[in-house]
Amino acid sequence: MPRAQLKIFLGYCSGVGKTYAMLAAARTEVEQGQRLLVGLVETHGRPETEALLSGLPILPRRSVEHRGVTLAEFDLDSCLERKPGLVVLDELAHHNAPGARHPKRFQDIEELLEAGINVFTTLNVQHLESLQDAVLRITGVRVTETVPDRVLHQASFIELVDLPGEELVRRLLQGKVYLGEMAEQTAKNFFRPGNLVALRELAMRWVANRIDQQVVQYMRERSIAGPWPVRERLLVGVGPSPLSERLIRAARRLADTLQAEWLAVSVQGGESYTPAARERVAAHLRLATSLGAHSEMVTGSSVPARLVEYAREHNVTQIVTGKPVRRGIWRNWTPDLVDQLIQISGPIDVHVISADRELEPPAVNRPITPGSAYLASTLAVIALSLMIGVLSRYLAPTNLVMAYLALVCVLAFQLGRGPAFWASTLSLAVFDFCFVPPYYTFAVQDGEYVVTFAALLFVSLIISTLTSRAREQAATARLREGQTIALLDLSRDFSSSRSGEEVRQALESHVRRRLDPQASVFLQIPRHNEWGPVADWAWHHGRPAGRATDTLPQAAVTCLPVVAGQGSPNQTLAMLVLARDKPLPLPEQEMLDSFLLQAAVALERLRLAGLAQQAEVLQTTEKLQTALINSVSHDLRIPLVSIMGALQALHDESSIPLADSDRCSLVDNALAEADRLNRIVGNLLQMSQLDSGVLRIQGQPQDVQDLLAMVPVESLRLPDDLPLVFCDFLLTQQVLYNLLDNARKYAPNSPITVGVEEQGEFLMIYVQDNGPGVPEAEREQVFGRFYRARTSPVESGSGLGLSICQGLVESQGGRIWIEPADGCRVCFTLPIARG
């Protein structure tokens, strides 16, 4: 179904007249014959708005109980059932009450559009997701009800409803926006002149940018010459810091301004993230995806180097990053991410977004090492020092340093960078205190030991850093290796699947083994008392639903459709149901997405193979029909002409008298031709029964002598003591009659011999003549439909006789073929009856 049209009435603040303009436009649509339904409109007690609403058909609201309060919400299901041509639905950014199918109203509107229903709605500019940071700076208020920018970009029409700030304040004080104390309080806070001017400019700039994009698109579609800019591509680095949200929104605004594609990338491997930090990274990537970015997680030991490498690989022209808030005594001595990016970015531009100190997280991206790891490293240094104390009489102090370096290397690999650094510092102190004269003091007599201490500390730091980084990279490599092996195993199982049920079993087995032990996969819409509606919605819309999604999130399960192609709602092939209590971590979510994609490819392959087979069968049927018409039309016409001629002569006997012998000859000829016509039609019907599988074989033990007793032949060769054969008596006799009829046609003056021979578990029956025979090149072809041998001396025959014989013999467990002999020798076998 084609997507309907969405019209948004956009304003910069409440009270500018969005709802009034929407209802006025709706009345115009009604006058033009549009079938309209008011889904939900908030009048806020404004008389002029209520006057426009009167007389219009209004959808009753759905009552929802929440924490003892009854809420009146938009009834989506009733609206879909009534199927109006246009729905008026106020407040696009509204949050639905708990228990609704979708958490937000814009998702209700998206479902209406998918159902082919046009929608009018309203929105204030401060509710745009990409403008949250700008609105916060202007007003000091963080808006919680937001709408992704993609919703506005998908709108067919956006109408800016504008009103000067002074006029809006005057309306507010007159009680035309809010009533009572709320109006006075709002005028002092949010409705300050500076706020209104800034928000008004923000709305106008956004609309102007959209109009500019439409103009450029119009010029490109019509190949109008213009100063086309080079295509820009942006990249924003994403981490666990709350600053990442601001960076993502800023990148979205910059991408809109430049009309550029943008990417969101998170680098893993340089530092270990806590589970909470990893979840924040996943949430930030989901936010970027919802705003239209291509999100990806990559691995690398150095975050700035990997970002620049990724940017060069994907032809990125600009990188967006954040200005860090530096803390500690090293803030002026260590280079930060921005400095490193600027140094190595080359021709790539770097945009630095400022950060507030309150947004900086308390070391969420640093691994929190348990105290037991530091305790273990301390005990390891003490134990090694005791061992060295015994060996210090035999080894020089410089050799003892190597033992401490080895310990630091082991601790870095086992415990991480922090405990290894602590061990190196503690080792230096113990070495100086216990093994460097003067003993049991930190004083140093020989200045060379200062160099030794510095080298020990420096090398320990390098070793701990490199070893810890190798450990982290090894863990990342193991994770990727596990994902690769899982995908390889799944693809191997899918490639060997021959039916949708086998694909279902393979997907269910792999998901249960690696992601969710209670997962289930269905090839049809699952019926369940509790979560059946969730699965039904996900199946028909081709989008995830249930827990941890934007649709029916209160459900106990998550329903993930396996969709063919690009997500058409009408091409859902299967359904995966997860029963997990918590959302999947990002790596496992990526693996699951790959599982679903491969399952869709496998099921689509089977579906297309079935369609191809059906097309091949249809094509073969059409060829057979054409061949049947071409072959049988002549064979049917000849006996019909003979019969009609005989009947016509008998009919005209009153004017042209016939002798008795002529009359008898005409009747005999008509009967013979009618019998011939009956055999042709019978052969066609029997071939049709063989093709459709309607013909049933009633096999029973039979005596060969009984089968051949009624066969009119010149020579019959039957050995003594022949066993019984298992066959259908009538069908086997028909095989014999067809073979004898063929022999008489091709060798009319030749004696015909029928013989029987025992061959293992089969009896072979053959029919032989002394005619011209069948060339070796045609011995396989003569069993094809409508095929006549080139040695045929007659033109009659449908070419179905031997084909029918082959079908009847093979349906009884035997086979038929032509052997080289003097003339033509057709042989077929029947299984010997046992027991």
Side-chain angles (χ1 to χ4, degrees), residues 9-132:
F9 294 83
L10 180 68
Y12 68 90
C13 196
S14 300
V16 297
K18 303 182 300 298
T19 304
Y20 187 91
M22 177 179 66
L23 291 176
R27 284 192 167 276
T28 302
E29 293 290 334
V30 172
E31 293 173 359
Q32 295 177 357
Q34 179 67 270
R35 195 161 56 91
L36 179 136
L37 179 65
V38 177
L40 190 147
V41 169
E42 299 290 352
T43 63
H44 299 289
R46 300 165 188 164
E48 61 272 18
T49 304
E50 294 177 351
L52 281 177
L53 190 60
S54 64
L56 297 177
I58 300 177
L59 179 72
R61 300 189 183 186
R62 181 174 62 93
S63 298
V64 179
E65 294 290 336
H66 180 59
R67 295 181 180 179
V69 179
T70 301
L71 304 176
E73 291 287 339
F74 170 62
D75 195 340
L76 176 60
D77 291 326
S78 297
C79 184
L80 290 172
E81 290 178 1
R82 296 179 64 166
K83 193 69 177 180
L86 173 64
V87 170
V88 175
L89 191 55
D90 208 2
E91 298 182 359
L92 177 63
H94 174 74
H95 280 195
N96 293 329
R101 179 185 305 167
H102 301 295
K104 300 183 179 182
R105 181 164 294 167
F106 75 83
Q107 295 168 328
D108 294 341
I109 291 178
E110 287 180 333
E111 187 165 345
L112 292 174
L113 296 174
E114 290 178 358
I117 301 175
N118 300 312
V119 178
F120 282 1
T121 188
T122 61
L123 179 71
N124 285 328
V125 72
Q126 61 261 32
H127 294 288
L128 266 175
E129 178 66 44
S130 64
L131 299 179
Q132 287 306 289

Side-chain angles (χ1 to χ4, degrees), residues 57 93 140 250 388 418 519 556 558 589 593 661 779:
I388 290 177
T558 304
Q589 183 62 49
D593 293 341
S661 59
R779 289 175 186 169

